[in-house]
Amino acid sequence: LLNCRVEKLIKDLTALGFENITTTYILSKEYVELILQEYNFALPSLSTSTNLDNVYDELKSPVNPKLLTKRPPVVTIMGHVDHGKTTIIDYLRKSSVVAQEHGGITQHIGAFQITTPKSGKRITFLDTPGHAAFLKMRERGANITDIIVLVVSVEDSVMPQTLEAIKHVKKSGNELIIAITKIDRIPQPKEREKKIEKVINDLISQDIAVEKIGGDVQVIPISAKTGENMDLLEESIVLLSDVMDIRAENSPKTIAEGWIIESQVKKQVGNVATILVKKGTLRKGKILICGNTFCKIKNLIDDKGTHIPEATPSFATEVFGWKDVPHVGDEIIQVKSEAIAKKFISKRQDLVEVQKNSSTVERLNEERALAKENHHNKDKDVDSESQDATQDNKLDAGPKNINFIIKCDVSGSAEAVSESISSLGNNEVRCNVISSSVGIPAESDLKMAQITDSTILCFNLGNLPSEVINNRAGIKIKQYNVIYKLIEDVTETLTENLKPIF
Ligand code: GDP
């Protein structure tokens, strides 16, 4: 698509700040967007989201301003690769664990919460920079973050991904705090001051209204290695969120809403999803609906692995009890009963069917129109009698679809696998992903594979039960632990389906 040799692309990506790029490196949508811009390509619409969630809109209640109460800010850390995002997150997480004398055990659930040592206020941090859920929600226009901490290394100053993050901040309207990192690397005070000044000036030339020029963007020089000024960074977040007066509705009557920021199947305990609460309170026994699945909350467990009785706005908690694994990035809404949950899910499924059918019809129509146009042009150019009849047939039929169903361990990899194989193929044969989801292939997957003549691709699922592998329907099930092996295999299958050239 870029019309560029892969060696050059890798060189360009390295210049952009990417590391250890190989030909099998899988890029996130955000990076693809960045690269397309670098090559001056218009951005195609990469969004796959639909308006299916409108089905649940009638379950939501309008915000009642009288019931709004203060909630902690939700913070995302962004910045150029290697500028220190992970180190900051690790520092904050560790210091919060030490403060609570918890024995140092934490689990990655997609977000964590700290209580600041000075003011005793709470802050929620999204845990993975460039988090899949965060990107997906952004595509939909949902903004789950209140504040972005932009990390800039004092040694390197503004770099390409810093610029990307600035672009995002401006577009999203999020509030911004700058953390100039790695100041311990320049111990000499004068030299350090000079370098910090340079970073600030570079930011000013990117139209960041820092305090130095009378703006309100705070700049905090820090070291996540030594901990210097980390308390200041925390307090600057608290200060900003106080000014922003961040609130959410949370009365006993408030219908709980939130976002799925992580989901997986856990051995022994089943389907688990991390929910970041938007409004209301999650409690054991409450019923939640999300996409095509629902949950009667069995347990809530926080990022320290502790069972908690409830989760209030801005809190992230693991929720146990899902019928199926919900998708990362989807919204959850509380419903009164399982019966209501089932009714709405079936309504949504009907809509999915309608959309699927209409998009298939649309696609077929497009393909037919294209084939006709091709045919027409050929007729104009060459004497029609000399046309090869098989060529005509091929044009009328369009590319042959080879169907796949993807099953993965976590939704992040389901998305990655789906995205990386969807684009495989050419005008003769192409890869068609029927569905991609989390968990061991269920009866419904086998049925779907049978109807659609699909191969089921399993990624990172460990040893599958023999009744699945040797299923009675004879569905082909392939297992992988390495993504490039999977891609190689799919490519080979597509190649096998190409018509032989004599
Ligand atoms: P990320 O790619 O933005 O998540 O960056 P990392 O947090 O992985 O940091 C990249 C490298 O810089 C690692 O080797 C860190 O140990 C180092 N680093 C990060 N922050 C600091 C800091 O404040 N001081 C020093 N001396 N090194 C740091």
Side-chain angles (χ1 to χ4, degrees), residues 74 107 109-113 122 124-127 259 261 273-278 282 300-304 306 308 310-319:
V74 178
Q107 48 168 12
I109 64 166
F112 65 98
Q113 206 169 47
R122 289 181 303 157
T124 301
F125 287 94
L126 286 189
D127 179 275
W259 294 277
I261 58 170
T274 303
I275 296 177
L276 177 64
V277 183
K278 181 177 164 190
L282 303 183
L300 299 171
I301 294 185
D302 70 6
D303 58 295
K304 320 275 183 319
T306 316
I308 49 171
E310 58 178 38
T312 48
S314 294
F315 207 91
T317 173
E318 278 194 321
V319 175

Side-chain angles (χ1 to χ4, degrees), residues 90-102:
D90 287 347
Y91 181 93
L92 293 166
R93 194 200 297 275
K94 260 187 227 133
S95 61
S96 88
V97 171
V98 171
Q100 293 177 21
E101 293 176 0
H102 188 270

Side-chain angles (χ1 to χ4, degrees), residues 332-346:
I332 63 108
I333 302 165
Q334 181 196 343
V335 288
K336 283 213 174 76
S337 67
E338 287 193 19
I340 294 178
K342 284 178 188 159
K343 192 182 107 191
F344 272 85
I345 287 170
S346 107

Side-chain angles (χ1 to χ4, degrees), residues 1 5 31 34 63 323 408 460:
L1 178 76
R5 292 192 66 82
Y31 289 157
L34 170 70
V63 176
K323 290 273 174 263
C408 290
N460 259 349

Side-chain angles (χ1 to χ4, degrees), residues 32 71 109 121 141-142 154 187 208 244 310 320 377 444 487:
V32 169
R71 64 168 177 85
I109 64 166
K121 296 269 180 69
V154 72
I208 302 292
M244 290 164 73
E310 58 178 38
F320 294 71
N377 288 344
S444 56
I487 296 172

Side-chain angles (χ1 to χ4, degrees), residues 80-87 182 184-185 222-225:
H80 193 75
V81 65
D82 265 354
H83 277 198
K85 298 177 288 293
T86 316
T87 311
K182 306 192 185 183
D184 60 296
R185 291 245 177 111
I222 60 159
S223 164
K225 261 261 157 73

